[in-house]
Amino acid sequence: MDSEAEDTKSQLGTPSKKVKNKKNKKKSDPGPSEHVTVQAKVQVVPEHPNKTAPIVGYFPSGFDPVKTSVSTGFQVYRNRTMNKRMELVVSPAGSPVEFVGTSYSGEAAAGYRAMYALGVFDKETQTLKVVPIAANKIFRLEPKVKGLKAADKEPANSTIEELTQAEKARQTTAMFGTKRDIEKVKKRMALQQDQEPDSPKNVDGKKKDGLNKKALANIDANVFRNIPPYDTTADTPQKAYVLDKIILRGEWDYLDDIYNTLHVGEADFSAYPIFVHNRIQRLRNIQDESEKKNLSCIFSYINHLIKFKDQLSMDASSAKSHKIPSILRHRFSTLFAITESKRLPPEKIDLLNSYVLVLTLFADDFRTDYTDIAKDLRMIAVSVRQRYEHLGCKIIRHKNMFYATLPVPLKFPSLSSRKRKR
């Protein structure tokens, strides 16, 4: 890289004990264990926009490209418009697995405060070169099977679909495009929806043509269910909704705020939702630390979901100062598809509410009193009850209190009964 260098004198060396030789008083050449003084010139190389800085990555899987007997190649990809978004791919020769790391997702998406640089000392020229690393990120190189997408996917029976390239382009246009471009995208999307076989217009046409009722019911179910990932074959409530797909593996490390606050003497939980606040004492009474931390993380996720919804509502004052970890905010923004007006569409509000309600079931061992969560979601109790029933729950009454329970195997309300309620 071509840059102006800042010259500084510095001394590099390793202090060690002096060794005396009584037989031979003649001074010998300094060995590796003796104190060595080096007059070095320090050269600080700034980042250049047209040149790629050094990239630093690590293999959490234990793979070592130095010790392996096969040759290992690598490729670096950079986003043309956002040049700090980079992807590093390491490919061992003849292996179906490659190692992929990015500067914008997973571990790298979390907030950071440190600044990273790489120092290279040249003994011949006595120069120490300090160079900033690419994107100021340490790439976590995860093993991925070639040909498969690296991102975590929802299970096949979930109605949450991964964003296609067209949807990503539409979101980018909605955020950064002109009004004319946004209108063009809206019209194009409307035309595409009308041409799809599952669109309301085409479905109505199939009804008139005598479409099979069972097939139509399946289409209707996929359109209207709008709930978190589930498993209808599960034989326990804990497996009916897939917790590992609701809270992804890399997100648990950013949900320890409640667990850490529990160890503070006079901890204040007044800023948390009523649902969480009312269960803090029960959380304190748990003796198993692993169980306590797991439940604390679920409470924290509920808190972030509710605050995310409030921040995008008309009255965002209650959650304005709340800080959501960037890895969670990025997933929420993708999962719930924020519109160009920075508001959640009604169907995505229903989906977010469903995520919260499913997590309340996990938090209350699948028998939850939904009075307080209704207040947190700013919904009337009847609407919350209907949403629980839509998730396959059964409402029971005990001592004038209503509780939502989750029977298995998971069964959803039939579409015919759903239509009658409307």
Side-chain angles (χ1 to χ4, degrees):
M1 298 182 180
D2 298 331
S3 62
E4 295 182 359
E6 298 178 4
D7 297 343
T8 308
K9 298 291 185 180
S10 66
Q11 293 184 349
L12 303 177
T14 305
S16 62
K17 295 181 179 180
K18 294 183 179 179
V19 180
K20 294 182 179 180
N21 191 340
K22 295 181 180 179
K23 294 183 180 180
N24 187 9
K25 295 183 179 180
K26 186 177 179 180
K27 189 176 181 180
S28 60
D29 295 333
S33 62
E34 295 185 7
H35 183 82
V36 179
T37 301
V38 177
Q39 297 294 331
K41 181 173 67 173
V42 178
Q43 195 177 47
V44 180
V45 182
E47 191 172 0
H48 196 286
N50 297 327
K51 297 181 180 180
T52 302
I55 296 175
V56 179
Y58 72 99
F59 298 88
S61 60
F63 172 75
D64 190 343
V66 178
K67 295 182 180 180
T68 182
S69 58
V70 298
S71 61
T72 304
F74 68 91
Q75 290 178 309
V76 178
Y77 301 92
R78 183 194 292 269
N79 190 297
R80 291 182 178 179
T81 55
M82 295 176 284
N83 55 13
K84 286 196 175 182
R85 291 176 71 100
M86 303 180 68
E87 185 171 312
L88 173 63
V89 180
V90 178
S91 306
S95 173
V97 175
E98 58 187 9
F99 298 87
V100 181
T102 69
S103 64
Y104 55 87
S105 63
E107 183 180 90
Y112 61 94
R113 297 180 181 177
M115 300 294 291
Y116 297 100
L118 181 65
V120 180
F121 179 64
D122 189 339
K123 292 183 179 180
E124 293 183 359
T125 61
Q126 298 290 291
T127 303
L128 175 64
K129 234 177 220 186
V130 180
V131 184
I133 67 171
N136 193 37
K137 298 286 187 180
I138 306 295
F139 288 71
R140 179 186 175 98
L141 298 168
E142 296 282 4
K144 306 291 181 184
V145 179
K146 291 181 180 179
L148 296 181
K149 292 185 178 179
D152 291 321
K153 293 181 179 179
E154 305 289 354
N157 57 358
S158 171
T159 58
I160 306 166
E161 299 179 354
E162 189 175 355
L163 290 177
T164 63
Q165 293 296 328
E167 289 173 330
K168 290 181 180 179
R170 178 178 60 83
Q171 288 189 359
T172 303
T173 303
M175 294 175 64
F176 306 108
T178 62
K179 290 184 178 180
R180 180 180 295 179
D181 292 335
I182 294 173
E183 289 300 323
K184 287 181 180 179
V185 170
K186 286 182 178 179
K187 290 179 180 179
R188 185 164 58 248
M189 292 296 294
L191 290 174
Q192 290 177 354
Q193 289 176 358
D194 289 343
Q195 293 172 1
E196 291 176 356
D198 295 346
S199 67
K201 290 183 179 179
N202 290 331
V203 170
D204 290 340
K206 290 178 181 178
K207 285 182 181 178
K208 294 177 181 179
D209 294 337
L211 179 67
N212 182 277
K213 292 182 180 180
K214 187 176 181 180
L216 182 61
N218 290 335
I219 294 173
D220 205 5
N222 290 332
V223 172
F224 290 109
R225 189 147 291 153
N226 200 27
I227 60 178
Y230 60 89
D231 181 6
T232 54
T233 64
D235 54 358
T236 62
Q238 290 79 5
K239 297 179 181 179
Y241 282 93
V242 189
L243 185 60
D244 290 339
K245 290 297 181 180
I246 297 174
I247 305 178
L248 301 183
R249 185 184 305 173
E251 297 173 345
W252 289 89
D253 295 336
Y254 302 93
L255 302 173
D256 55 1
D257 53 305
I258 294 179
Y259 181 76
N260 293 335
T261 308
L262 287 173
H263 296 84
V264 180
E266 297 295 330
D268 182 16
F269 290 93
S270 59
Y272 285 87
I274 302 172
F275 178 87
V276 176
H277 186 270
N278 290 346
R279 287 157 178 79
I280 292 297
Q281 190 56 45
R282 175 163 69 89
L283 191 61
R284 292 183 187 274
N285 295 336
I286 298 177
Q287 300 299 319
D288 187 345
E289 289 298 319
S290 177
E291 180 184 352
K292 181 184 291 187
K293 186 170 185 178
N294 186 72
L295 186 55
S296 298
C297 290
I298 293 177
F299 283 148
S300 179
Y301 208 84
I302 291 174
N303 177 43
H304 289 312
L305 280 171
I306 293 175
K307 291 296 195 295
F308 179 79
K309 177 186 175 183
D310 290 345
Q311 287 176 355
L312 298 175
S313 65
M314 297 300 293
D315 182 14
S317 57
S318 61
K320 188 176 181 180
S321 60
H322 180 73
K323 294 182 179 179
I324 301 175
S326 56
I327 188 173
L328 298 181
R329 180 173 290 279
H330 176 74
R331 176 152 185 256
F332 293 168
S333 301
T334 304
L335 187 60
F336 304 117
I338 302 174
T339 63
E340 59 270 15
S341 62
K342 300 296 182 182
R343 293 287 180 265
L344 291 174
E347 67 275 9
K348 296 301 180 180
I349 293 177
D350 289 341
L351 179 60
L352 189 150
N353 291 339
S354 296
Y355 266 73
V356 172
L357 296 183
V358 167
L359 289 174
T360 63
L361 293 171
F362 279 95
D364 284 347
D365 200 18
F366 300 93
R367 186 177 184 272
T368 183
D369 171 17
Y370 49 86
T371 306
D372 43 13
I373 197 62
K375 296 177 182 178
D376 292 326
L377 294 175
R378 302 181 185 184
M379 299 171 63
I380 60 175
V382 174
S383 298
V384 174
R385 172 174 178 159
Q386 291 175 350
R387 197 66 200 171
Y388 272 117
E389 291 174 340
H390 180 63
L391 292 167
C393 293
K394 182 180 179 181
I395 307 300
I396 62 173
R397 183 174 181 177
H398 179 68
K399 295 182 179 179
N400 293 328
M401 296 290 293
F402 290 94
Y403 298 89
T405 62
L406 188 65
V408 289
L410 199 58
K411 293 182 179 179
F412 299 107
S414 63
L415 293 171
S416 58
S417 62
R418 181 183 176 87
K419 290 177 181 178
R420 283 197 301 270
K421 289 180 181 179
R422 290 178 180 177

PDB file of all heavy atoms in Angstrom, residues 134-148:
ATOM      1  N   ALA A 134      -8.760  -5.704   7.509  1.00  0.00           N
ATOM      2  CA  ALA A 134      -9.939  -5.428   6.682  1.00  0.00           C
ATOM      3  C   ALA A 134     -11.206  -5.338   7.520  1.00  0.00           C
ATOM      4  O   ALA A 134     -11.492  -6.233   8.324  1.00  0.00           O
ATOM      5  CB  ALA A 134     -10.096  -6.510   5.622  1.00  0.00           C
ATOM      6  N   ALA A 135     -11.949  -4.259   7.330  1.00  0.00           N
ATOM      7  CA  ALA A 135     -13.255  -4.045   7.960  1.00  0.00           C
ATOM      8  C   ALA A 135     -13.189  -4.032   9.475  1.00  0.00           C
ATOM      9  O   ALA A 135     -14.212  -4.044  10.145  1.00  0.00           O
ATOM     10  CB  ALA A 135     -14.271  -5.109   7.504  1.00  0.00           C
ATOM     11  N   ASN A 136     -11.982  -4.010  10.049  1.00  0.00           N
ATOM     12  CA  ASN A 136     -11.791  -4.055  11.499  1.00  0.00           C
ATOM     13  C   ASN A 136     -12.548  -5.224  12.122  1.00  0.00           C
ATOM     14  O   ASN A 136     -13.170  -5.109  13.168  1.00  0.00           O
ATOM     15  CB  ASN A 136     -12.257  -2.734  12.133  1.00  0.00           C
ATOM     16  CG  ASN A 136     -11.793  -2.612  13.581  1.00  0.00           C
ATOM     17  OD1 ASN A 136     -10.688  -3.042  13.917  1.00  0.00           O
ATOM     18  ND2 ASN A 136     -12.608  -2.025  14.426  1.00  0.00           N
ATOM     19  N   LYS A 137     -12.490  -6.379  11.458  1.00  0.00           N
ATOM     20  CA  LYS A 137     -13.219  -7.566  11.897  1.00  0.00           C
ATOM     21  C   LYS A 137     -12.305  -8.780  11.927  1.00  0.00           C
ATOM     22  O   LYS A 137     -11.418  -8.925  11.088  1.00  0.00           O
ATOM     23  CB  LYS A 137     -14.397  -7.867  10.953  1.00  0.00           C
ATOM     24  CG  LYS A 137     -15.451  -6.786  10.895  1.00  0.00           C
ATOM     25  CD  LYS A 137     -16.307  -6.770  12.139  1.00  0.00           C
ATOM     26  CE  LYS A 137     -17.461  -5.785  11.987  1.00  0.00           C
ATOM     27  NZ  LYS A 137     -18.304  -5.739  13.172  1.00  0.00           N
ATOM     28  N   ILE A 138     -12.545  -9.651  12.902  1.00  0.00           N
ATOM     29  CA  ILE A 138     -11.918 -10.966  12.936  1.00  0.00           C
ATOM     30  C   ILE A 138     -12.942 -11.949  12.370  1.00  0.00           C
ATOM     31  O   ILE A 138     -14.014 -12.134  12.939  1.00  0.00           O
ATOM     32  CB  ILE A 138     -11.519 -11.379  14.368  1.00  0.00           C
ATOM     33  CG1 ILE A 138     -10.635 -10.298  15.007  1.00  0.00           C
ATOM     34  CG2 ILE A 138     -10.813 -12.720  14.358  1.00  0.00           C
ATOM     35  CD1 ILE A 138      -9.306 -10.111  14.323  1.00  0.00           C
ATOM     36  N   PHE A 139     -12.632 -12.579  11.258  1.00  0.00           N
ATOM     37  CA  PHE A 139     -13.588 -13.446  10.577  1.00  0.00           C
ATOM     38  C   PHE A 139     -13.651 -14.810  11.268  1.00  0.00           C
ATOM     39  O   PHE A 139     -12.625 -15.466  11.456  1.00  0.00           O
ATOM     40  CB  PHE A 139     -13.176 -13.640   9.112  1.00  0.00           C
ATOM     41  CG  PHE A 139     -13.374 -12.427   8.254  1.00  0.00           C
ATOM     42  CD1 PHE A 139     -12.565 -11.317   8.399  1.00  0.00           C
ATOM     43  CD2 PHE A 139     -14.378 -12.391   7.311  1.00  0.00           C
ATOM     44  CE1 PHE A 139     -12.748 -10.189   7.620  1.00  0.00           C
ATOM     45  CE2 PHE A 139     -14.571 -11.266   6.516  1.00  0.00           C
ATOM     46  CZ  PHE A 139     -13.751 -10.171   6.673  1.00  0.00           C
ATOM     47  N   ARG A 140     -14.840 -15.219  11.633  1.00  0.00           N
ATOM     48  CA  ARG A 140     -15.068 -16.561  12.192  1.00  0.00           C
ATOM     49  C   ARG A 140     -15.406 -17.488  11.025  1.00  0.00           C
ATOM     50  O   ARG A 140     -16.472 -17.368  10.417  1.00  0.00           O
ATOM     51  CB  ARG A 140     -16.209 -16.533  13.205  1.00  0.00           C
ATOM     52  CG  ARG A 140     -16.532 -17.896  13.826  1.00  0.00           C
ATOM     53  CD  ARG A 140     -17.770 -17.785  14.704  1.00  0.00           C
ATOM     54  NE  ARG A 140     -18.191 -19.074  15.224  1.00  0.00           N
ATOM     55  CZ  ARG A 140     -17.881 -19.527  16.440  1.00  0.00           C
ATOM     56  NH1 ARG A 140     -17.154 -18.785  17.243  1.00  0.00           N
ATOM     57  NH2 ARG A 140     -18.298 -20.709  16.844  1.00  0.00           N
ATOM     58  N   LEU A 141     -14.510 -18.399  10.703  1.00  0.00           N
ATOM     59  CA  LEU A 141     -14.654 -19.250   9.526  1.00  0.00           C
ATOM     60  C   LEU A 141     -15.398 -20.537   9.898  1.00  0.00           C
ATOM     61  O   LEU A 141     -14.836 -21.458  10.495  1.00  0.00           O
ATOM     62  CB  LEU A 141     -13.269 -19.570   8.946  1.00  0.00           C
ATOM     63  CG  LEU A 141     -12.495 -18.329   8.453  1.00  0.00           C
ATOM     64  CD1 LEU A 141     -11.053 -18.681   8.171  1.00  0.00           C
ATOM     65  CD2 LEU A 141     -13.151 -17.746   7.217  1.00  0.00           C
ATOM     66  N   GLU A 142     -16.669 -20.570   9.548  1.00  0.00           N
ATOM     67  CA  GLU A 142     -17.523 -21.715   9.876  1.00  0.00           C
ATOM     68  C   GLU A 142     -17.529 -22.715   8.729  1.00  0.00           C
ATOM     69  O   GLU A 142     -17.562 -22.317   7.561  1.00  0.00           O
ATOM     70  CB  GLU A 142     -18.959 -21.246  10.138  1.00  0.00           C
ATOM     71  CG  GLU A 142     -19.109 -20.342  11.350  1.00  0.00           C
ATOM     72  CD  GLU A 142     -19.086 -21.121  12.651  1.00  0.00           C
ATOM     73  OE1 GLU A 142     -18.882 -22.353  12.597  1.00  0.00           O
ATOM     74  OE2 GLU A 142     -19.275 -20.502  13.711  1.00  0.00           O
ATOM     75  N   PRO A 143     -17.510 -24.016   9.018  1.00  0.00           N
ATOM     76  CA  PRO A 143     -17.568 -25.016   7.944  1.00  0.00           C
ATOM     77  C   PRO A 143     -18.950 -25.073   7.310  1.00  0.00           C
ATOM     78  O   PRO A 143     -19.959 -25.128   8.006  1.00  0.00           O
ATOM     79  CB  PRO A 143     -17.242 -26.327   8.673  1.00  0.00           C
ATOM     80  CG  PRO A 143     -17.605 -26.077  10.099  1.00  0.00           C
ATOM     81  CD  PRO A 143     -17.371 -24.620  10.357  1.00  0.00           C
ATOM     82  N   LYS A 144     -19.009 -25.028   5.996  1.00  0.00           N
ATOM     83  CA  LYS A 144     -20.249 -25.104   5.243  1.00  0.00           C
ATOM     84  C   LYS A 144     -20.073 -26.086   4.085  1.00  0.00           C
ATOM     85  O   LYS A 144     -19.005 -26.147   3.472  1.00  0.00           O
ATOM     86  CB  LYS A 144     -20.638 -23.733   4.673  1.00  0.00           C
ATOM     87  CG  LYS A 144     -20.724 -22.621   5.705  1.00  0.00           C
ATOM     88  CD  LYS A 144     -21.884 -22.807   6.648  1.00  0.00           C
ATOM     89  CE  LYS A 144     -21.946 -21.667   7.655  1.00  0.00           C
ATOM     90  NZ  LYS A 144     -23.023 -21.873   8.645  1.00  0.00           N
ATOM     91  N   VAL A 145     -21.117 -26.833   3.805  1.00  0.00           N
ATOM     92  CA  VAL A 145     -21.090 -27.755   2.674  1.00  0.00           C
ATOM     93  C   VAL A 145     -21.237 -26.949   1.391  1.00  0.00           C
ATOM     94  O   VAL A 145     -22.112 -26.085   1.286  1.00  0.00           O
ATOM     95  CB  VAL A 145     -22.208 -28.819   2.780  1.00  0.00           C
ATOM     96  CG1 VAL A 145     -22.185 -29.746   1.575  1.00  0.00           C
ATOM     97  CG2 VAL A 145     -22.055 -29.609   4.064  1.00  0.00           C
ATOM     98  N   LYS A 146     -20.405 -27.221   0.416  1.00  0.00           N
ATOM     99  CA  LYS A 146     -20.441 -26.478  -0.838  1.00  0.00           C
ATOM    100  C   LYS A 146     -21.795 -26.640  -1.524  1.00  0.00           C
ATOM    101  O   LYS A 146     -22.355 -27.740  -1.572  1.00  0.00           O
ATOM    102  CB  LYS A 146     -19.338 -26.969  -1.787  1.00  0.00           C
ATOM    103  CG  LYS A 146     -17.932 -26.625  -1.317  1.00  0.00           C
ATOM    104  CD  LYS A 146     -16.894 -27.122  -2.308  1.00  0.00           C
ATOM    105  CE  LYS A 146     -15.485 -26.794  -1.842  1.00  0.00           C
ATOM    106  NZ  LYS A 146     -14.456 -27.293  -2.777  1.00  0.00           N
ATOM    107  N   GLY A 147     -22.319 -25.546  -2.033  1.00  0.00           N
ATOM    108  CA  GLY A 147     -23.594 -25.592  -2.745  1.00  0.00           C
ATOM    109  C   GLY A 147     -24.786 -25.274  -1.879  1.00  0.00           C
ATOM    110  O   GLY A 147     -25.873 -25.039  -2.382  1.00  0.00           O
ATOM    111  N   LEU A 148     -24.589 -25.270  -0.538  1.00  0.00           N
ATOM    112  CA  LEU A 148     -25.692 -24.948   0.358  1.00  0.00           C
ATOM    113  C   LEU A 148     -25.493 -23.553   0.898  1.00  0.00           C
ATOM    114  O   LEU A 148     -24.373 -23.092   1.100  1.00  0.00           O
ATOM    115  CB  LEU A 148     -25.750 -25.944   1.527  1.00  0.00           C
ATOM    116  CG  LEU A 148     -26.041 -27.389   1.154  1.00  0.00           C
ATOM    117  CD1 LEU A 148     -26.085 -28.248   2.414  1.00  0.00           C
ATOM    118  CD2 LEU A 148     -27.354 -27.517   0.408  1.00  0.00           C
TER     119      LEU A 148
END
